[in-house]
Amino acid sequence: MSNDSLDIGIRYIKGVGETREKLMIKLGIRTLRDLVGYFPRAYEDRTVIKDIGSLIIGESVCVRAMAADTPRLSHIRKGLDLVKLRAVDEHGSLEITFYNQPFVKDAIKKGDTYIFYGKISGSLLRPEMSNPVFEKELSLTHTGRIIPIYPLTAGLSQKMLMNAVRSGLDKCADELPDVLPDNIVRQYELCRARYAYENIHFPADMKELDIARRRLIFEELFVLVTAMKLLREKRVDKTGRSLTIPDFDEFYAMFPFEPTGAQKRAITEASQDMASSRPMNRLIQGDVGSGKTLIAAACCWMTWRSDSQSAFMAPTEILARQHYNSLSGLLEPLGMRVGLLTGSMTAKGKRETYERLNLGEIDLIIGTHALISESVGFKDLALVITDEQHRFGVNQRSMLTEKGDSPHVLVMSATPIPRTLALIIYGDLDVSIVDEMPPGRQKIQTHVVDENYRKRVYDFIRKLVGEGRQVYVICPMVEEDDTFKSVKEYYETLSTKIFPDLRVELVHGKMPSKKKDAAMSAFADGEADILVATTVVEVGVDVHNAALIIIENADRFGLSQLHQLRGRVGRGEHESHCILFQTGVDVVKRTVPLTHKTDEPSPCLARLNVMKSTNDGFKIAEEDLRLRGPGDFFGSRQHGLPEMHIANFATDMLVLNQAQNAAENLLREDPELSSPKNRKLLEQIGRLFEINADKMN
Ligand code: ADP
Ligand code: MG
């Protein structure tokens, strides 16, 4: 791979020693390429230098002033040292205080003039500034200009990082990779890579910053969409298997309820796809509880009526079993043979299932990714359904379809993915949106509380259980961790100390699946009052009698995930509640839109309040995407998309459209990106998706 000089370690950068290298690696910066690609999260406009006579209280500004006296160091108490001095210009004087920075005493000399940057407090008659950034009047690296603000880690200061980036940029001068083809740069009026990198870090003014940002956002989105288009399986011109559309009224008659209009619409759309001569490629997107299972069942039934097999893949064992239970309950009475295949089955059980699948003795197989194992073969696989596809790896997705002869594909998602992101992840899928809830659903009452409410919350649990309801208690993780409640420990406390008289069960991801299932089934069958769980109950789990869900450390979760969790209750006729315990620690990494401000309020409370204000999964998803960016959207990159450094899918829609058009045009000209002029782009795609570019064609 070329551009070797960009791949050198940061140790070779001026001013970066062993200690700083370690700290920077914590931030994900290992190479020169990482360093120059480590973009500021915000900027401070320090271009305006004001005189002391025109200060405004509360404003952050630069002041040019002379140190009127020698700084005085006073030791107030252990852990509190103050350095104070007075600075003056011809219009007035400014009281300056440094907290716990004793070295400042010797850094500022009486009679010298400095630029101080900081927030003005005190009063207009006696203005003050605390802990300002300062430097000698003539140096102007940290004041008198727009200053980048980087995300930091303890031990690494803005100054250190800024200096490292400066040296890094100087070092790689003309070797910055310009991955965009020339004609695209011209057509979309973008600036050159060199200009963009320079000005994203050290813009002379806001206009230059905007030009740089636009180029880098375009580039990031362009590389992503080009990659997704390139990697997607090609489905053009394949002939599908045209199945016969049955009379669905016969099917609907099986249910104690009338399907919703949205369910019927989705079934009609899917059945028309399956009857056409092109393979179906459809996404069924509907909020939790909208009744997607019924739609899947209808498609499987249609496939069976045409004497073919269906496969249904779910992301976890628990979900696979639950789908198996509900689908076999629905379809076996109609004469279908439904099977289950999961990793935890005995070798003998698996072998038998393989055999029956091969012979066509199973009409619908439900399973985990055990279904893509090499040993699995079908007699005649005509329909593949994947639940929550974004939780499977990009390469796992097509492996099941390859077991059939261009089978129809149905993807179901309860994660209401904003349309922009859906387009990127799912490409050119047709979409059916299930935007209607089965009747009789009540709005789930959501409350955001802190520790002071704990006793009341426990009383509330007791009251509901007394009325015969069941309760979920969700904890973020299994590992011991002193800041966050370990689920096991918490379970012990709840079951032995707080509710010794109630039936409490525990389920978490690290349990053997037999125990997991036993606990889940106990809860589902009403044999447990409280289920303490990690997020394994996140999607799909369906217990109508559960009317309360408590989420501990709710700040730990993304909004969409909270919404999924909340969807575990309110599935029956009982009034339901969701209580979010807030710890006040904002641990979620945010993609902050660039601003001139530095004092942003903690968005943590605002985030949780979104949950209170709406039950609409799409709205929540948009908000989540806006606050966190797609990298975190599904948690731990389960969607297989690389992390975005600068683009924001929610706010950069316009650029995304342009990037999509550009990618389409380019791939029309050069479908495999084999032309030498697209070499750099191909390499960049390889790096992002960790694929060797030479192997891609
Ligand atoms: P999803 O998978 O979309 O989250 P499910 O398919 O699990 O939702 O359905 C949620 C619940 O609603 C199930 O208990 C199901 O039996 C019930 N249900 C589905 N469709 C209807 C309907 N049209 N009317 C009433 N209840 C329904
Ligand atoms: Mg479901």
Side-chain angles (χ1 to χ4, degrees), residues 297 356 366 373 403 428 512 541 557 579 647 678:
R356 292 180 56 215
I366 297 159
S373 130
K403 294 184 184 292
D428 19 73
V541 180
F557 298 98
I579 299 180
N678 294 326

Side-chain angles (χ1 to χ4, degrees), residues 88-102:
V88 296
D89 68 5
E90 52 270 43
H91 301 274
S93 75
L94 179 66
E95 297 298 323
I96 294 178
T97 309
F98 292 92
Y99 292 87
N100 291 332
Q101 302 180 50

Side-chain angles (χ1 to χ4, degrees), residues 288-289 291-293 312 319 322-323 387-388 412 414 539-541 568 571:
V288 277
K292 294 181 295 296
T293 314
F312 185 131
L319 285 175
Q322 197 167 45
H323 280 305
D387 195 18
E388 300 295 328
M412 305 206 301
V539 263
V541 180
R568 295 310 102 222
R571 300 173 81 85

Side-chain angles (χ1 to χ4, degrees), residues 257-260 263 286-294 323 414 438-439 441 540 542 544 571:
F257 49 73
E258 180 70 7
T260 64
Q263 284 171 321
D287 213 342
V288 277
S290 60
K292 294 181 295 296
T293 314
L294 178 87
H323 280 305
R441 290 283 160 78
D542 193 25
H544 286 204
R571 300 173 81 85

Side-chain angles (χ1 to χ4, degrees), residues 415-670:
T415 314
I417 305 165
R419 179 134 193 107
T420 41
L421 202 52
L423 271 177
I424 292 171
I425 299 174
Y426 298 115
D428 19 73
L429 289 193
D430 301 308
V431 182
S432 296
I433 293 185
V434 192
D435 53 2
E436 186 184 347
M437 285 288 168
R441 290 283 160 78
Q442 303 185 21
K443 183 169 186 283
I444 301 162
Q445 303 295 323
T446 301
H447 319 270
V448 181
V449 303
D450 60 21
E451 279 306 309
N452 298 326
Y453 284 77
R454 189 161 290 282
K455 168 137 196 331
R456 275 206 251 171
V457 169
Y458 287 157
D459 290 344
F460 189 51
I461 294 183
R462 202 168 272 291
K463 174 175 169 278
L464 284 186
V465 172
E467 290 167 8
R469 301 289 79 75
Q470 288 166 285
V471 178
Y472 289 104
V473 178
I474 309 295
C475 280
M477 52 179 53
V478 188
E479 289 83 12
E480 306 294 321
D481 176 336
D482 38 33
T483 23
F484 298 97
K485 284 206 171 64
S486 141
V487 67
K488 274 189 244 164
E489 212 174 274
Y490 189 43
Y491 163 74
E492 293 298 327
T493 314
L494 281 187
S495 57
T496 60
K497 300 213 172 77
I498 301 172
F499 303 114
D501 51 327
L502 302 184
R503 299 165 302 173
V504 187
E505 286 284 350
L506 170 68
V507 56
H508 62 75
K510 299 226 166 117
M511 275 161 70
S513 63
K514 274 224 176 83
K515 285 184 92 176
K516 246 192 301 201
D517 288 345
M520 281 301 308
S521 322
F523 190 71
D525 298 343
E527 285 158 16
D529 304 305
I530 300 175
L531 183 67
V532 180
T534 54
T535 52
V536 289
V537 295
E538 188 180 336
V539 263
V541 180
D542 193 25
V543 179
H544 286 204
N545 191 40
L548 171 63
I549 184 164
I550 314 247
I551 302 176
E552 297 283 347
N553 295 307
D555 343 42
R556 266 251 140 164
F557 298 98
L559 292 181
S560 291
Q561 212 178 358
L562 288 175
H563 179 69
Q564 296 289 334
L565 288 167
R566 178 168 65 181
R568 295 310 102 222
V569 300
R571 300 173 81 85
E573 69 273 26
H574 309 291
E575 190 192 30
S576 298
H577 297 265
C578 168
I579 299 180
L580 304 172
F581 266 106
Q582 159 197 356
T583 54
V585 197
D586 181 28
V587 282
V588 171
K589 197 183 84 202
R590 288 170 299 144
T591 311
V592 184
L594 297 181
T595 84
H596 304 216
K597 290 184 224 106
T598 48
D599 313 307
E600 292 153 7
S602 157
C604 150
L605 189 65
R607 258 169 30 90
L608 292 183
N609 278 337
V610 171
M611 299 300 298
K612 234 162 83 175
S613 65
T614 180
N615 264 344
D616 181 335
F618 278 94
K619 266 198 206 137
I620 289 172
E622 293 284 354
E623 192 62 14
D624 209 12
L625 192 58
R626 197 175 67 74
L627 289 171
R628 305 202 305 159
D632 291 314
F633 188 70
F634 301 111
S636 64
R637 297 176 59 179
Q638 282 165 325
H639 45 69
L641 292 184
E643 191 185 354
M644 292 288 104
H645 291 108
I646 187 164
N648 179 318
F649 287 108
T651 52
D652 297 323
M653 286 267 281
L654 207 67
V655 185
L656 179 63
N657 282 340
Q658 292 178 334
Q660 264 163 338
N661 290 337
E664 246 160 56
N665 289 337
L666 181 73
L667 288 173
R668 204 171 298 130
E669 261 170 48
D670 183 6

